[in-house]
Amino acid sequence: MGRFVNPNNSAFQNALNAEIYVDKTGLIEATNRFLDTPQAFICNSRPRRFGKSMAANMLAAYYSKGCDSHELFADLAIGKSADYEKYLNQFDVIHVDVQWCLMMAKSAEATISFISKNILKELREIYGNVIADDVEMVADALAIISEALGNKFVVIIDEWDVLIRDEATNKIVQEEYINFLRGLFKGVEPTKYIALAYMTGILPIKKYKTQSALNNFDEYTMLEPDFLAPYIGFTEAEVKALCEQYHKDFAEVKRWYDGYELDGYNVYNPRAVVSLMLRGSFKSYWTQTGTYESILPLINMDFDGLRSAIIDMLSGDAVKVIPYFFQNDMISFRDKDDVLTLLIHLGYLAYNQKRSQAFIPNEEIRFEFAMATKVNKWSELISFQKESRALLEAVLDNETEAVSEILEKIHNQYTSVIEYNDENSLSSVLTIAFLGTLDYYFKPVRELPTGRGFADFVYIPKPMYREDYPALVVELKWNKSAQTALQQIKDKRYAESLQDYAGEILLVGINYDKKTKEHTCSIEKLVK
């Protein structure tokens, strides 16, 4: 039993000791399916605070010969699996946390040597004379042990990408690291000594041109999580159960922390949900300093359309993104799509796989983006917000002519960003126009299911503002009339979606006439 080779189960025991533990041992049943097969090489990337290390510690505790984990797993989901006992504590395990090794080695240049020397030292302690004194590579030692004894290894690498992220410009270190991983995992020989390879980090595996540096790995990411989707973060069912246990309003939790769409699952940030349950406050639990350091350099890059895309998403819209050419590092950006793709991997944006669209997932992240842009004092955003706040005030004061004039001004000023072609483009302008609601309202709900259809937009005030600001139900029309839009809200009873909302509700109808290029608006207070 060592630090790297055949570790004990204390790290996973620590997770089980927590007041809140959500069972993710179904992941083990999935990895058991792939043991000693071509699919046994897995890289699962996910953002910070989404349970990467917990999953790595769990796998090490289950497979490692260095401990007896029967009591830890017997009452969890994996304990009901037919193969539970078959693989429990049956493998030689190598478990490496690259972030920790980087700190212990005291430099990036010394990290690979630190990892290799310590693993070889522990292998020699376990296998004695099997490994000759002149063996200097971990891959060579594993191959010798496997050939001599028939042993196969489970290799788990946590924070695999830290040298790619933190040493983004250090090509010598990156090349040494990639070569270390290639020696360990690529080719025919590793299939003889690897039963399972599981790497986890924030970024997918580094690309060279269009090819992965480790192309024998199957990758499961925030873009394509596949069967790992329910094990990345908390699922909606798991969050509902916690809300019942801790007496939290699930709808409010969903607004603040939901939004990641992964293969049919609504996924929540575990750190945020646990913090809310234990501390009770609806707020952002991301570390703001880290957020600014991550977001600001990216959104300030000089790529066409990047800032307008950020403003669109802050307003509640989604934007098209092509994620396929991103090189999976922190410096090789060609256009705004690469920047948006990185923000998806970092967890600052969510991704709709079917529509190839990126969007800000929830109120927590929207808050972080808003703070980052305020710190940087974006002139474009300041301009938008000033006009948008005037629009909001005009709506609240039922000044329909002022609303029409401001909408027209925003349309005319930003036609380089958005061109009117149909009702969808009108809705894009509306989301920007109402950017001023950011401080007082949650992200607008698009096409909210209502009495007899879907309302175009519903703006719900944050709890602290509900006495001062009404909810807004907005319907858009193209080449018709504002009154027609307003009448549709009434006829189809769109406001029924807010029947449990105790505050005031305004009904807002907006029309754009393409021939006259004029906006018109009608506003009424809902009589309950």
Side-chain angles (χ1 to χ4, degrees), residues 306-333:
L306 178 58
R307 288 197 173 196
S308 63
I310 298 298
I311 291 171
D312 282 353
M313 290 187 288
L314 269 171
S315 303
D317 218 346
V319 299
K320 278 283 186 182
V321 60
I322 301 172
Y324 308 112
F325 303 108
F326 177 52
Q327 296 297 294
N328 298 338
D329 63 27
M330 305 296 286
I331 57 173
S332 304
F333 300 106

Side-chain angles (χ1 to χ4, degrees), residues 451-452 484-494:
R452 296 176 180 173
T484 299
L486 196 64
Q487 193 60 45
Q488 181 169 317
I489 296 175
K490 298 174 185 177
D491 292 345
K492 295 196 174 183
R493 303 203 297 266
Y494 287 165

Side-chain angles (χ1 to χ4, degrees), residues 29 64 133 180 217 271 284 337 340 344 351 465:
E29 188 168 10
S64 175
D133 292 340
F180 170 78
F217 272 75
R271 168 71 176 276
S284 173
D337 288 322
L340 297 179
I344 292 168
Y351 181 69
Y465 297 114

Side-chain angles (χ1 to χ4, degrees), residues 5-7 31-32 34-36 59-67 83-94 126-127 150-156 193-196:
V5 182
N6 292 339
T31 56
N32 280 347
F34 297 140
L35 286 168
D36 208 14
L59 292 172
Y62 177 79
Y63 290 115
S64 175
K65 285 182 177 179
C67 53
D83 291 329
Y84 167 59
E85 295 279 356
K86 181 177 180 181
Y87 300 119
L88 180 65
N89 302 132
Q90 294 301 305
F91 289 91
D92 286 308
V93 168
I94 296 175
I126 296 170
Y127 295 105
N151 294 26
K152 284 206 163 188
F153 289 80
V154 170
V155 179
I156 300 165
Y193 60 75
I194 296 287
L196 175 72

